[in-house]
Amino acid sequence: MTDLDGRHTGSIWATWQAGQPLGVTVLPDCPCRDGEPGVKEQVCCFFAGHGGPCSWDVADRRVA
């Protein structure tokens, strides 16, 4: 994923299957914020309308 600047906001997302790229698409960013005050506030790193919890509630199980 990469961010877009300027009037074309959103992110470029790549789709993969079995290690092979299938395509790319531009999706708008999820507007959710966790509501923490000031610099502690987190914004969701996923696309608008994603299923499941926002990014701050997802744990990477590979990290020990």
Side-chain angles (χ1 to χ4, degrees):
M1 179 204 59
T2 188
D3 293 325
L4 299 175
D5 293 327
R7 65 184 187 94
H8 298 289
T9 61
S11 299
I12 300 171
W13 289 81
T15 306
W16 298 80
Q17 184 175 18
Q20 298 297 314
L22 295 178
V24 295
T25 189
V26 175
L27 298 172
D29 295 328
C30 179
C32 295
R33 299 175 182 274
D34 71 354
E36 289 290 325
V39 297
K40 291 185 177 185
E41 182 178 54
Q42 296 183 55
V43 296
C44 182
C45 297
F46 299 145
F47 53 88
H50 64 85
C54 285
S55 59
W56 58 80
D57 282 331
V58 177
D60 187 347
R61 294 185 178 134
R62 298 173 296 172
V63 177

